[in-house]
């Protein structure tokens, strides 16, 4: 039996290239050159150069139909903030408020006072340093000195006996 008038179309699968380390613009061109399309582009914090592709959804080497969209993730610059100068000498409560407003976390070194009126004596990283938003700043504190004759921590200061 002979059949006339039917067309047969052969679809040749496309191999997806590795797009990582290319710019978004270069990735789009590579995909277009291989009969594929750029899909969703999403920024992600990365150590890679800002604007370069750091991930893709259809994996490199995958076989797909012509016209398939390939989603990518590209590196975006991490948000950074500066640790304020002058935090040494302020109370722990004041420093916590100041760092919190900058979206930084505060941690007190083990063994040091966590009292809100304790005074910050040192920080790591140091004040004036640039850090990624969301970083933790570790501080060393000391209790607020108690004036002679005042009570603090259950002890009377100002005489040699230190009696309660």
């Amino acid at each position: 039996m002979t059949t006339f008038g039917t067309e047969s179309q052969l679809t040749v699968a496309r191999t997806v290239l590795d797009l990582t380390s290319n710019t978004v613009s270069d990735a789009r061109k590579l995909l277009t050159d291989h009969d594929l399309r750029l899909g969703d582009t999403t920024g992600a914090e990365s150590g890679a150069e800002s604007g370069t592709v750091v991930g893709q959804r259809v994996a490199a080497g995958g076989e797909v139909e012509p016209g398939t969209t390939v989603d990518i993730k590209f590196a975006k610059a991490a948000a950074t903030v500066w640790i304020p100068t002058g935090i040494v000498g302020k109370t722990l409560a004041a420093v916590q408020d100041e760092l919190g407003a900058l979206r930084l976390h505060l941690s007190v070194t083990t063994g040091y006072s966590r009292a809100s009126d304790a005074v910050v004596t040192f920080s790591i990283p140091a004040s004036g340093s640039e850090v990624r938003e969301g970083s933790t700043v570790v501080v060393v504190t000391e209790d607020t000195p108690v004036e002679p004759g005042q009570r603090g921590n259950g002890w009377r200061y100002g005489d040699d006996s230190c009696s309660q």
Side-chain angles (χ1 to χ4, degrees), residues 11-75:
T11 302
V12 178
R14 303 291 187 237
T15 301
V16 178
L17 302 173
D18 181 2
L19 302 172
T20 57
S21 300
N22 286 289
T23 64
V24 173
S25 178
D26 289 344
R28 180 186 318 274
K29 181 170 179 2
L30 286 168
L31 290 168
T32 301
D33 289 349
H34 289 88
D35 294 325
L36 300 172
R37 297 180 316 159
L38 181 61
D40 292 334
T41 58
T42 307
E45 285 189 15
S46 169
E49 184 178 341
S50 184
T52 59
V53 177
V54 294
Q56 66 189 71
R57 189 188 309 156
V58 176
E63 298 284 324
V64 295
E65 297 290 320
T68 299
T69 60
V70 177
D71 299 336
I72 61 170
K73 285 188 179 182
F74 63 92

Side-chain angles (χ1 to χ4, degrees), residues 45-112:
E45 285 189 15
S46 169
E49 184 178 341
S50 184
T52 59
V53 177
V54 294
Q56 66 189 71
R57 189 188 309 156
V58 176
E63 298 284 324
V64 295
E65 297 290 320
T68 299
T69 60
V70 177
D71 299 336
I72 61 170
K73 285 188 179 182
F74 63 92
K76 68 177 186 176
T80 60
V81 294
W82 293 89
I83 297 173
T85 57
I87 61 173
V88 170
K90 291 184 178 178
T91 65
L92 185 59
V95 172
Q96 189 164 18
D97 289 345
E98 203 169 340
L99 295 180
L102 296 170
R103 296 188 180 144
L104 294 173
H105 303 284
L106 178 101
S107 176
V108 178
T109 303
T110 303
Y112 289 86

Side-chain angles (χ1 to χ4, degrees), residues 104-158:
L104 294 173
H105 303 284
L106 178 101
S107 176
V108 178
T109 303
T110 303
Y112 289 86
S113 178
R114 287 173 168 58
S116 62
D117 65 344
V119 176
V120 172
T121 60
F122 188 77
S123 73
I124 302 171
S127 60
S129 299
E130 184 178 20
V131 295
R132 282 185 173 204
E133 189 176 279
S135 295
T136 298
V137 177
V138 178
V139 297
V140 174
T141 62
E142 65 181 25
D143 284 322
T144 305
V146 177
E147 295 296 320
Q150 291 185 344
R151 295 182 63 85
N153 298 330
W155 293 92
R156 187 172 141 224
Y157 294 89

